[in-house]
Amino acid sequence: MLISRSLRQITQKWFNMQKKTTRKVRSVKDAVFRGGIIIISAILIVWLSVFLYTAFYYAYMPSMTYMRPIHLQFQSCGNKRGMCNFPSAMVELTKKQSLLMVGQPYKINLHLEMPESPVNKELGMFMVCARLHSRNGFVVERVCRSAMLHYRSTLLHTLSTLTFSPMMIFGTTEEKQTLVLELFGNFEEDQTHPVTLIYVEIESRFIEFYSASLVINAHLSGLRYLMYHWPILSAIIGIGTNLFFLALISILSYLHLSMEEEDEEEENFIYEKGESEEEKDIKTLGDSSSDTLSLEDVPMLEDIPKPHEEGHSSHPSDPILGEPSYIQEISTLIAESSAVEFTK
C-alpha cells in the first residue's frame, strides 16, 4: 500500500511539473509570437500610412505647370515683304481625352518673345485671340486680348545698351522683350467637353517675334495651396493622421481577438478543472476503499459461517433460492481486491 501511494504521488508530481513546463514554454512562445506580430504590424502601419498619403497627394494635387510651344504660321506675299495674313497656330495639349483636372482653376498665359526693333516699336498695340476646342471640335470658350511692347525712352534705351554692351557682344543678352499675356484668368475644365486644342491668332501682319509659347498654371487655393507651399508640414500632419487611425483600428481589433482568446481559455480551464476534480474524487474513493478493505479484514470475514448446500431450504431469510448470499459476494470482492494489491 505505501509503495503504491508513493508511486502515485511521484507520477502525479512529475505530471504536474510537465504540465507547468509545457505551459511556460507555450507562454514564452506566445509572447515571442505576439511581439513579432506587434513589430511587423507597426512597420506595416507606418509604410501603409506613408503610401496612403503619397497616393492621396498625387491623386488630389494637379500638375502645376503645362508648357506647349506655339509654331505660328502665315502666308507669304510673294515678292512683297511681310505677311499676307495673320499668324496663327493650333496647339494640341494632349492626345488623350483630357489634360486638365476637373474643378481646378487654371491660368492660361501667352509668352511672346519680341525684339526691340523699330517695326515693333512703331507697331503699337495689337490683338491676340484664342479659342479652346474639345476633341470633337466644340468651342468651349474664346477670348481676345490686347498687347504691346513695354515703352522705354531713347535715353533709357541708350543707357541700357551701354551698360549691357559687353554681354551683348558675347551673346549672353539680347535687345528683346518677353510679353506675358493672360488669355484666361480663371478657367475650369468642363467634364462634358474637355479641352484638348487651343487655337491662337495674332491679328497683325507687321509684327515681328522670335518665339511664342503657351503656359498653363494651376491656381491653387485651400488645402491644395497648403499642401503645395508647405509640403513637409502637410506630410507630417497627413502621415500622423493616417498613423493614428490605423493604429486605433489595429489596437481595437487586437483587443477584440485577445478577449475572445481569454474567453476560450477560461472555458477550457473550467472544463479541465472539472475533469481534474472528478479524477481526484475517483482516486480518493479508490484509496478509501483500499484502506478499509485491508488484508487484516480478510480472515475476519472468512470466519463468517458459510451456509451448507443441504440447508438452503432451512434458511427462510434468502430471498432467492439457489443464489449466493450478500456475505459471499462481499467476501469474494475483498479477496479479489487483496489479490490485486498483492500483485501490485
Side-chain angles (χ1 to χ4, degrees):
M1 292 296 292
L2 294 172
I3 296 169
S4 63
R5 284 184 182 177
S6 61
L7 288 173
R8 285 179 185 176
Q9 289 178 359
I10 291 167
T11 53
Q12 188 67 30
K13 287 181 180 180
W14 176 258
F15 185 69
N16 291 330
M17 289 175 65
Q18 191 176 5
K19 276 187 176 181
K20 288 180 181 179
T21 52
T22 52
R23 285 177 183 175
K24 288 180 180 179
V25 169
R26 286 179 183 176
S27 63
V28 171
K29 286 182 179 179
D30 291 337
V32 172
F33 181 70
R34 289 179 181 177
I37 288 174
I38 290 169
I39 293 169
I40 293 169
S41 301
I43 294 169
L44 288 175
I45 287 168
V46 171
W47 280 106
L48 185 60
S49 60
V50 174
F51 173 75
L52 287 174
Y53 178 77
T54 306
F56 173 74
Y57 183 87
Y58 282 102
Y60 185 70
M61 291 294 293
S63 297
M64 288 302 299
T65 304
Y66 298 100
M67 184 177 289
R68 298 291 185 271
I70 300 175
H71 303 288
L72 294 168
Q73 297 178 357
F74 58 90
Q75 291 181 357
S76 61
C77 295
N79 297 328
K80 295 181 181 180
R81 293 187 305 172
M83 298 174 285
C84 287
N85 64 342
F86 298 147
S88 61
M90 182 68 77
V91 182
E92 185 178 12
L93 296 180
T94 180
K95 294 182 179 180
K96 300 178 181 179
Q97 292 296 325
S98 63
L99 177 69
L100 306 178
M101 184 179 288
V102 178
Q104 172 62 44
Y106 290 92
K107 289 182 179 180
I108 302 174
N109 300 327
L110 175 67
H111 290 233
L112 191 62
E113 195 176 52
M114 298 174 62
E116 292 181 341
S117 61
V119 175
N120 284 335
K121 288 180 180 179
E122 293 176 359
L123 180 64
M125 298 187 70
F126 57 91
M127 295 294 293
V128 177
C129 295
R131 294 196 304 267
L132 303 178
H133 295 264
S134 62
R135 179 66 67 182
N136 55 5
F138 180 78
V139 178
V140 179
E141 195 171 346
R142 66 180 68 193
V143 71
C144 289
R145 294 285 186 268
S146 61
M148 68 174 292
L149 283 176
H150 294 284
Y151 174 76
R152 288 200 301 175
S153 64
T154 307
L155 179 61
L156 181 60
H157 181 70
T158 305
L159 291 174
S160 62
T161 304
L162 291 174
T163 304
F164 295 101
S165 58
M167 290 179 281
M168 289 179 184
I169 292 170
F170 289 104
T172 55
T173 60
E174 296 179 7
E175 290 182 303
K176 65 179 181 180
Q177 292 185 17
T178 301
L179 297 180
V180 179
L181 185 62
E182 185 178 304
L183 299 176
F184 300 93
N186 195 17
F187 174 74
E188 292 187 9
E189 180 80 305
D190 188 5
Q191 191 173 4
T192 57
H193 299 286
V195 176
T196 57
L197 300 171
I198 298 178
Y199 178 77
V200 180
E201 184 181 34
I202 300 174
E203 295 183 352
S204 175
R205 293 190 294 111
F206 306 101
I207 189 171
E208 295 176 348
F209 56 88
Y210 288 138
S211 63
S213 61
L214 196 69
V215 180
I216 303 172
N217 295 317
H219 181 62
L220 301 178
S221 61
L223 181 60
R224 287 173 177 165
Y225 182 83
L226 296 174
M227 290 176 69
Y228 181 76
H229 290 282
W230 288 280
I232 298 173
L233 180 62
S234 61
I236 291 170
I237 294 171
I239 294 170
T241 305
N242 292 332
L243 278 173
F244 173 75
F245 285 107
L246 290 174
L248 182 63
I249 292 168
S250 60
I251 288 168
L252 290 175
S253 57
Y254 176 76
L255 290 174
H256 180 69
L257 293 173
S258 62
M259 288 176 67
E260 288 183 353
E261 289 179 357
E262 286 179 358
D263 293 336
E264 290 179 358
E265 287 178 357
E266 287 180 357
E267 290 178 358
N268 293 328
F269 178 73
I270 292 167
Y271 180 73
E272 290 177 357
K273 188 177 179 181
E275 287 185 350
S276 61
E277 288 179 353
E278 289 179 357
E279 289 177 357
K280 286 181 180 179
D281 293 336
I282 291 167
K283 287 180 180 179
T284 52
L285 289 172
D287 293 334
S288 62
S289 63
S290 62
D291 290 336
T292 53
L293 300 175
S294 60
L295 293 173
E296 294 177 357
D297 298 331
V298 174
M300 293 175 65
L301 292 170
E302 286 179 353
D303 294 336
I304 298 171
K306 297 181 180 178
H308 298 282
E309 294 179 357
E310 296 85 1
H312 283 296
S313 59
S314 63
H315 293 283
S317 61
D318 293 334
I320 300 170
L321 294 175
E323 295 290 333
S325 64
Y326 66 96
I327 298 171
Q328 290 179 352
E329 291 178 358
I330 292 169
S331 62
T332 53
L333 289 172
I334 292 167
E336 288 176 358
S337 62
S338 62
V340 171
E341 291 292 333
F342 276 120
T343 55
K344 289 181 180 180

